[in-house]
Amino acid sequence: MDTPPRLTPEQEEKMIQDAFDELLDGYLRSNHRKKVEIIERAFLFAKDAHKGVRRRSGEPYIMHPIAVARIASREIGLGSTSICAALLHDVVEDTDYTVEDIEQHFGPKIAQIVDGLTKISGGIFGDKASVQAENFRKLLLTMSEDIRVVLIKMADRLHNMRTLGSMAPNKRYKIAGETLYIYAPLAHRLGLFAIKTELEDLSFKHEHPDIYRDIQAKIQESEARRSAVYSDFSEPIKTKLDQLGIEYDAKARLKSIYSIWRKMETKHLPFEEVYDLYAMRIIFKCDDQAKEKAICWSIYSAITDLYQLHPGRTRDWIVTPKANGYQALHLTVMGPDGNWIEVQIRSERMDEIAEKGFAAHWKYKIGDGDEESELNAWLKTIKDILDNPEPNAMDFLSTLKLNLFATEIVVFTPSGELVTLPSGATVLDLAFELHSEIGMHSIAGKVNHKLVPLQTELKSGDQVEVLTSKTQVALPEWENFMVTAKARTRLRKGLRAMRQPVVVKGGEMLSTWLIDNDLPDNNKVITKLQGIFHVANRDDLCYALGADEIVLGDFLLKPLRKAAGIEEKGILSKLITIGKKVVPGTAKSAPAAPDPVNPKKIYKLRSDAEGTNFRISDCCNPIPGDDVMGFISDDGSVEIHRLDCPEAQILKATYGSRIVATEWDTDGEQRFLAHIHIEGLDRHGILQEITHLISTHLGIDMRKLEIEASDKVFHADLWVRVSDADVVNDLCARTKSIQGVTLATRIH
Ligand code: MN
């Protein structure tokens, strides 16, 4: 990090003024009404309020609200109310001014948004999972009241991510993790695709700086060849569109670094194969919305006259837009070099919606526009979940997250009604989506007139009917076949309602028994009972009692009295005669407690002849050389995860303060287990060549080898003990150079 040279007060003043003028210029060029006066006042107010305060990077604090307002205006397309709220967003949080002050100066609307932003400040996540869930609920609640709160919060997060470099490493991981876990999916759900992509890229850049630079360099290297292929492909199309008299803008679509990497990782492909997928985007001018569809299809027809169409890969998002508002026509054709190329066709209006999401809808609002109701439907789902929050904070988060990430399918009811569901949704999801009562009594589904079980996954375009029966009783296990939060929430609520009379009956039985046996009804006693009967909480205990699944008897008295602290005479005297103080756990020599870890410092991962000072998580099996982070577990030891491990994503997002930045410091004597997957064309002697290469040539310790050969193809899974990631990479590269091997990659 190079620190910027210190500016004189005059230079600084000019820098601030320039930044503000730029913001104002952008606003004046937008389609919004020109309410400059209030924006200027908000700027002066915020500037004065933050006077003398600096950001971590050293620049005056006011530069941050200006930048946030600029993102809100230019990149999200918001108007003067939001610009003012963005300029003022940290005033209540960081200075002595109150929401009432803001209301007095700027009116109730701006004050309300600033209030919403203040409530959810300090990151969505605090230190405890329950607090985090609570904050997240607040965020979503304020969002369902005024979506602008969340849009400005997005702008705030984007600017913080752009300037993340000046933060301490452990804070960086926390913020980057949180961004990837919650904000990027939220941006996606709101249709803010450009922001979503940038958030992902920035998170990735901070978590894997080396890989990021590597991919960046490779993109630059292949630039010339790519643009040659693109112009070969696009020139004939352009000529044709010009003949048709269509006004348009065509460009090669660039894949983001993060999405390239994701594809390389999930499909185990080398960079070249991922990046050789080209895409073109055509954005046409059209003032009459009624003509858009026809123009899209005439462009489609022009392209398919020139190139061979990939059947089954045409996507019409015009007639049924995605739930986040996305509209376009996609098709895939065979390019001149034999590669498949995707072409996206959109009008300028559709493009703006694709880039700026729902904010852009306001600009094109027409009467009681359909698109707005889509957003409202989603916000209603969120409210629905919030009305019935899960008792378990982590469950609540992952339920919501699932809904943020899901891509959609559209199915039809027998009456022809369209229902949008996340992909992977089953008949049960639909049943509960339609109505709790239908869900609770569903027995089977009819998909395209064929009888299917409830857990059947639905596909876009399916016509689905849910069959019900009065005598059917819903089961808790159904949850395993549901993907929507709404369905799960409704099922749990329904089950709770069904159980309630039994729980009440069991509760009365429990109280009577406790009184009869002189036992207190306190936490200690109930916890002990829960432990004995293996139930999770008091309700479950009462339910089991009420349903006669368990019985209370004299055998419980001894452990319960002990738990309640009512000692029995005999035992006490026995202990005294032995004359020893009994401390549990001293019998076996417990490992010495590790020194407390300071999360502010980089933790050196030591591994030498004496052992290791960290534990390897078994979810992602990192080895030295991988980009990893440490998580300080309950016993104080450091557990390491790969930065991109799904488990680590959750840890980063929920236990930010327990994340520690790490550095490998091993002497190479320690060995770690790595799993390698190899695929190829079976030919005589190829497996001998591979095993020979591994065991003799490279001197690697092979632990296990599983081979499966069928027809002409073989798959091999290999476990080796190595000192670090470089050895594995080298091994994969060498294996791949064996003739016939098509794939050799490490599996995490
Ligand atoms: Mn801020």
Side-chain angles (χ1 to χ4, degrees):
M1 265 298 298
D2 35 23
T3 39
R6 256 282 202 261
L7 302 174
T8 65
E10 293 74 30
Q11 283 171 321
E12 226 168 56
E13 190 63 28
K14 184 171 180 304
M15 172 177 81
I16 295 170
Q17 194 58 47
D18 286 352
F20 177 70
D21 290 345
E22 226 180 293
L23 161 71
L24 215 52
D25 279 354
Y27 169 70
L28 287 170
R29 266 182 275 119
S30 76
N31 289 353
H32 291 277
R33 279 178 298 160
K34 313 295 178 224
K35 293 163 87 176
V36 174
E37 186 271 340
I38 193 163
I39 296 177
E40 269 171 344
R41 270 202 296 125
F43 163 62
L44 292 173
F45 191 94
K47 189 177 149 199
D48 185 60
H50 294 299
K51 199 177 189 156
V53 182
R54 286 176 189 281
R55 299 195 86 207
R56 259 184 97 91
S57 61
E59 64 178 13
Y61 196 86
I62 186 68
M63 294 301 283
H64 167 64
I66 295 175
V68 174
R70 206 178 115 115
I71 294 170
S73 162
R74 273 220 207 153
E75 293 173 50
I76 308 185
L78 298 171
S80 65
T81 306
S82 304
I83 293 175
C84 291
L87 284 168
L88 297 163
H89 84 271
D90 279 331
V91 166
V92 176
E93 170 82 5
D94 295 340
T95 76
D96 293 336
Y97 288 105
T98 63
V99 177
E100 287 70 37
D101 296 329
I102 305 280
E103 182 165 353
Q104 229 174 43
H105 286 86
F106 301 99
K109 196 68 242 173
I110 291 172
Q112 199 187 320
I113 297 174
V114 172
D115 189 35
L117 286 162
T118 309
K119 279 193 193 127
I120 54 171
S121 69
I124 289 179
F125 300 105
D127 288 341
K128 284 193 206 125
S130 55
V131 179
Q132 290 142 18
E134 191 47 41
N135 280 333
F136 193 45
R137 269 187 68 199
K138 269 192 217 150
L139 170 79
L140 295 168
L141 268 177
T142 40
M143 162 166 136
S144 44
E145 274 155 26
D146 192 331
I147 190 82
R148 284 175 288 192
V149 174
V150 148
L151 295 174
I152 297 168
K153 184 74 198 166
M154 268 312 159
D156 186 26
R157 173 53 57 125
L158 180 58
H159 186 242
N160 285 335
M161 283 300 292
R162 283 177 182 169
T163 52
L164 195 59
S166 45
M167 300 292 269
N170 66 326
K171 276 260 171 62
R172 276 209 301 259
Y173 292 153
K174 173 182 148 59
I175 295 174
E178 211 178 75
T179 301
L180 215 50
Y181 191 70
I182 291 293
Y183 286 91
L186 200 53
H188 175 79
R189 204 60 186 73
L190 292 166
L192 303 166
F193 295 113
I195 289 182
K196 173 210 159 205
T197 306
E198 190 178 346
L199 286 175
E200 283 175 347
D201 251 20
L202 287 168
S203 298
F204 179 60
K205 184 177 165 183
H206 285 285
E207 293 196 337
H208 302 279
D210 296 337
I211 306 177
Y212 185 91
R213 270 194 298 271
D214 192 43
I215 295 178
Q216 205 173 29
K218 281 183 173 152
I219 292 176
Q220 272 157 14
E221 275 167 34
S222 58
E223 177 66 45
R225 193 173 49 85
R226 267 184 303 118
S227 61
V229 172
Y230 174 75
S231 65
D232 273 359
F233 174 71
S234 62
E235 282 319 317
I237 297 178
K238 288 182 182 166
T239 314
K240 203 124 193 214
L241 295 186
D242 291 340
Q243 284 166 6
L244 288 171
I246 294 171
E247 247 191 283
Y248 67 95
D249 186 21
K251 52 190 170 193
R253 198 170 65 90
L254 298 176
K255 252 186 190 320
S256 77
I257 293 182
Y258 176 74
S259 67
I260 292 171
W261 174 77
R262 274 290 297 255
K263 201 148 199 178
M264 287 167 65
E265 285 284 302
T266 53
K267 302 247 164 93
H268 304 298
L269 293 170
F271 171 84
E272 292 68 28
E273 275 168 52
V274 175
Y275 213 60
D276 274 350
L277 304 168
Y278 301 93
M280 177 185 187
R281 185 174 288 163
I282 297 167
I283 299 158
F284 62 87
K285 263 202 171 59
C286 172
D287 296 328
D288 184 357
Q289 215 176 308
K291 290 188 183 140
E292 283 179 347
K293 194 169 134 194
I295 300 177
C296 280
W297 288 100
S298 67
I299 296 175
Y300 176 94
S301 151
I303 297 169
T304 48
D305 281 350
L306 289 163
Y307 298 109
Q308 192 203 329
L309 179 74
H310 187 306
R313 270 218 234 158
T314 299
R315 296 279 176 275
D316 178 359
W317 301 113
I318 302 172
V319 176
T320 38
K322 292 189 189 180
N324 57 21
Y326 182 83
Q327 280 188 303
L329 182 62
H330 294 188
L331 69 154
T332 302
V333 294
M334 172 84 71
D337 62 344
N339 278 314
W340 292 112
I341 300 181
E342 186 186 71
V343 186
Q344 305 180 341
I345 307 168
R346 307 168 175 173
S347 69
E348 277 183 342
R349 180 191 67 90
M350 296 175 190
D351 186 58
E352 189 154 0
I353 288 167
E355 299 295 325
K356 293 180 181 169
F358 277 102
H361 280 298
W362 296 332
K363 198 168 140 185
Y364 297 101
K365 202 154 84 180
I366 22 142
D368 52 348
D370 273 337
E371 297 103 333
E372 282 249 336
S373 62
E374 292 262 16
L375 176 64
N376 286 334
W378 185 62
L379 290 175
K380 243 193 91 224
T381 312
I382 297 277
K383 267 211 158 126
D384 219 53
I385 303 166
L386 294 172
D387 286 341
N388 296 289
E390 285 306 314
N392 182 327
M394 291 302 282
D395 270 6
F396 169 74
L397 283 181
S398 44
T399 308
L400 271 171
K401 197 180 136 56
L402 202 77
N403 267 37
L404 291 175
F405 256 136
T407 51
E408 282 119 15
I409 59 165
V410 181
V411 299
F412 301 90
T413 66
S415 60
E417 193 193 331
L418 270 180
V419 183
T420 308
L421 292 165
S423 68
T426 60
V427 175
L428 270 174
D429 283 299
L430 174 69
F432 279 96
E433 172 74 32
L434 295 172
H435 199 282
S436 291
E437 279 301 301
I438 299 180
M440 294 301 286
H441 296 290
S442 56
I443 47 169
K446 250 188 185 173
V447 173
N448 305 326
H449 308 292
K450 232 182 80 200
L451 206 62
V452 296
L454 289 170
Q455 63 266 39
T456 306
E457 215 175 276
L458 300 174
K459 291 189 305 293
S460 231
D462 278 348
Q463 198 228 62
V464 194
E465 185 181 349
V466 181
L467 305 177
T468 58
S469 159
K470 278 251 171 319
T471 53
Q472 171 74 323
V473 182
L475 297 170
E477 292 83 67
W478 283 7
E479 235 190 82
N480 302 331
F481 310 117
M482 296 174 160
V483 301
T484 60
K486 191 173 181 178
R488 287 186 181 179
T489 316
R490 288 188 166 173
L491 171 68
R492 288 183 201 175
K493 205 179 161 195
L495 289 172
R496 268 205 298 276
M498 261 168 51
R499 274 164 47 118
Q500 210 43 41
V502 185
V503 172
V504 171
K505 183 180 155 208
E508 281 160 10
M509 288 162 73
L510 175 66
S511 306
T512 317
W513 186 81
L514 288 174
I515 293 166
D516 287 352
N517 289 288
D518 285 329
L519 281 163
D521 187 346
N522 64 17
N523 245 337
K524 283 178 187 156
V525 169
I526 301 300
T527 311
K528 188 78 204 174
L529 274 172
Q530 285 171 17
I532 292 169
F533 290 115
H534 302 289
V535 291
N537 52 45
R538 191 189 178 108
D539 265 18
D540 286 358
L541 180 69
C542 294
Y543 179 80
L545 267 174
D548 289 330
E549 285 170 8
I550 56 171
V551 281
L552 301 171
D554 289 347
F555 68 97
L556 296 166
L557 294 176
K558 214 162 149 180
L560 290 181
R561 285 193 183 128
K562 202 170 159 211
I566 312 167
E567 287 287 352
E568 279 172 283
K569 257 188 203 159
I571 294 174
L572 202 66
S573 55
K574 240 186 242 165
L575 284 179
I576 293 164
T577 49
I578 295 166
K580 260 191 197 163
K581 209 172 141 201
V582 181
V583 183
T586 45
K588 274 188 220 155
S589 66
D595 288 338
V597 178
N598 181 357
K600 291 209 171 80
K601 282 200 185 133
I602 291 179
Y603 186 78
K604 286 235 193 278
L605 299 169
R606 238 181 326 98
S607 177
D608 47 36
E610 277 158 45
T612 54
N613 67 346
F614 57 91
R615 209 167 52 219
I616 290 181
S617 69
D618 48 17
C619 45
C620 55
N621 292 311
I623 59 177
D626 286 339
D627 288 330
V628 295
M629 57 155 224
F631 172 68
I632 306 168
S633 52
D634 290 332
D635 63 6
S637 63
V638 170
E639 180 180 282
I640 59 165
H641 290 263
R642 292 169 53 87
L643 274 173
D644 45 30
C645 159
E647 189 82 12
Q649 303 292 356
I650 300 177
L651 292 175
K652 277 182 286 187
T654 46
Y655 296 102
S657 61
R658 284 163 70 173
I659 302 301
V660 57
T662 56
E663 208 168 68
W664 292 102
D665 186 22
T666 55
D667 64 2
E669 272 177 31
Q670 205 76 18
R671 289 287 178 269
F672 301 86
L673 201 61
H675 174 187
I676 295 167
H677 182 75
I678 303 167
E679 280 176 29
L681 300 171
D682 205 1
R683 67 171 161 82
H684 186 69
I686 189 169
L687 291 170
Q688 280 87 332
E689 265 183 61
I690 295 172
T691 45
H692 186 260
L693 168 83
I694 295 159
S695 55
T696 59
H697 186 63
L698 295 164
I700 286 172
D701 180 8
M702 184 159 53
R703 278 306 155 112
K704 195 166 118 192
L705 178 64
E706 282 173 7
I707 300 165
E708 210 187 280
S710 62
D711 239 355
K712 293 201 170 66
V713 188
F714 76 90
H715 293 252
D717 282 284
L718 174 72
W719 284 263
V720 290
R721 309 240 313 148
V722 295
S723 57
D724 60 49
D726 286 345
V727 179
V728 182
N729 293 341
D730 183 51
L731 176 60
C732 288
R734 283 174 191 242
T735 309
K736 249 191 271 180
S737 65
I738 294 177
Q739 192 206 334
V741 174
T742 53
L743 179 83
T745 183
R746 185 169 147 217
I747 306 281
H748 306 302

